[in-house]
Amino acid sequence: MKPLDGIRILDFSRVLAGPMATQILAELGAEVIKIERPGSGDETRTFEPRVASGDSGYFFAFNRGKKSVTLNLKSPNGQSIARSLAQKADVVVENFLPGEMARFGLGYEQLSADNPGLVYVSCTGFGQTGPYSERNGYDTIFQALSGVMALTGHPDGAPAKVGVPFADLSSGLWIAISVLAGIAGRAQSGRGTHVDLSMLDVQVSMLTIAAARWFLLAEDPRRTGTEHPGRVPSAAFECGDGRWLHISGSDQHWAAICAVLGLDELAADRALDRNSERVVQRERVMAAMTAAIAGRGRDELAEALRAVNVPAGEVNSVAEILADPHVGARGMVAAFEHPKAGRIGALRTPVRLSGYDEISIGVPPVLGADTEGVLGEVLGLQAEEIDRLRGEGVI
């Protein structure tokens, strides 16, 4: 048993944010029916990196545990089938431009007329309303517009994007949250809801502390690299072996940091016991720490700091963290057997729920592999009718 057993999700989304959300929900037990274009499917099926079979690792990363149904939404018969599936669904997720699903006869007002309990999530770049609603965009556009990019990078460098598609990933999490909130709300009211989720809104909501500095101090925050604008020390330092270590301490850690690094002069300055003063004297403190750390190896120093309970973390590469013994012990790295590509490594959903079956990793679907099964089992279509629809290019 899984917590979302019995929930059926009709997933019209493509690329990243929507598919990420529905993958989370699939691995929590929901039945996710992914609607794809006949012949080509989700465009990420062609994205790099590709494996030997020609399949996309990008697609694999966001579409595990789903059923793939091919359906031509520009066809009247395809639209009719989609409406029939929506009548038997709990949730619809889509990320078309505003108004496009309605032009297919698949907008919220149209589908909820036949299924009042439907939870319908529209994830768009700029939302259903506002002067930018008709614009399109990609992850880095939203990082740029939202202020996130202006905050990322070193003070003397250019603005930088986050190393992963932050706007897409965070929007995917909010889609999943919206679905769960809609389902919980329906259990109380008996009614569904239309969720208008804007990727730009999501990014602006992530500004949090940076926005607070503006609201409270009228200070427009700038890039600080790995340093924290309100806490010293909290930064990554280059060690003697060329590797990097991030150290982040509060007042209770300051004496131990000085002892491990041999910073006797700083330790003797009682004013520096307070973070507020260390922030004022940031350049002095950081220069002394940088010089002391430059002669130490990363691993040795990290262990010395952790031995006295100072928070310290190696700046790992992706390869290093995926081989880390703690990550292995937590079961975060797993694999699935794909019918075409064979055994493929993947990251597990980081949810551990007591009293339910283990949240096992799913398998990404082959394009259209479940079309016949879903149309037969969910809609009761006979094999002859399915063959006819295939011949007409509807599926």
Side-chain angles (χ1 to χ4, degrees), residues 29-209:
E31 178 191 15
V32 175
I33 301 172
K34 182 177 178 68
I35 303 300
E36 301 191 72
R37 288 171 295 186
S40 57
D42 188 321
E43 46 264 59
T44 61
R45 287 185 178 273
T46 64
F47 283 13
E48 298 295 338
R50 308 282 281 277
V51 296
S53 65
D55 293 284
S56 166
Y58 192 114
F59 180 85
F60 286 172
F62 300 106
N63 290 282
R64 300 192 305 266
K66 305 177 186 180
K67 297 176 178 178
S68 173
V69 170
T70 52
L71 200 57
N72 181 359
L73 296 181
K74 295 181 180 180
S75 157
N77 284 338
Q79 295 166 5
S80 177
I81 290 170
R83 284 193 293 272
S84 296
L85 288 171
Q87 290 179 29
K88 298 178 179 296
D90 298 282
V91 177
V92 161
V93 176
E94 59 95 4
N95 62 352
F96 288 89
L97 286 172
E100 193 161 351
M101 285 290 278
R103 286 192 287 274
F104 295 149
L106 301 172
Y108 172 68
E109 298 296 336
Q110 295 152 316
L111 296 185
S112 64
D114 294 323
N115 184 356
L118 188 66
V119 175
Y120 189 112
V121 181
S122 296
C123 178
T124 57
F126 297 91
Q128 302 293 307
T129 61
Y132 302 161
S133 62
E134 295 300 318
R135 289 188 188 178
N136 57 14
Y138 293 102
D139 173 89
T140 49
I141 299 299
F142 302 117
Q143 289 193 44
L145 287 172
S146 66
V148 169
M149 190 175 287
L151 295 172
T152 306
H154 289 277
D156 55 352
K161 71 179 183 69
V162 180
V164 294
F166 181 70
D168 278 315
L169 296 175
S170 53
S171 295
L173 292 175
W174 276 104
I175 293 170
I177 292 167
S178 298
V179 168
L180 297 175
I183 292 172
R186 184 181 65 184
Q188 301 178 61
S189 69
R191 300 187 305 273
T193 187
H194 183 203
V195 178
D196 172 10
L197 188 70
S198 155
M199 291 180 66
L200 181 61
D201 289 354
V202 170
Q203 292 318 285
V204 173
S205 79
M206 294 292 173
L207 294 176
T208 56
I209 299 168

Side-chain angles (χ1 to χ4, degrees), residues 29 44 65 111 123 129 141 174 187 212 225-226 241 275 287 303 318 325-326 334 344 352 379:
T44 61
L111 296 185
C123 178
T129 61
I141 299 299
W174 276 104
T226 64
D241 55 9
N275 178 67
E303 289 304 318
V318 173
H326 181 79
I344 302 292
R352 308 290 182 268
L379 299 184

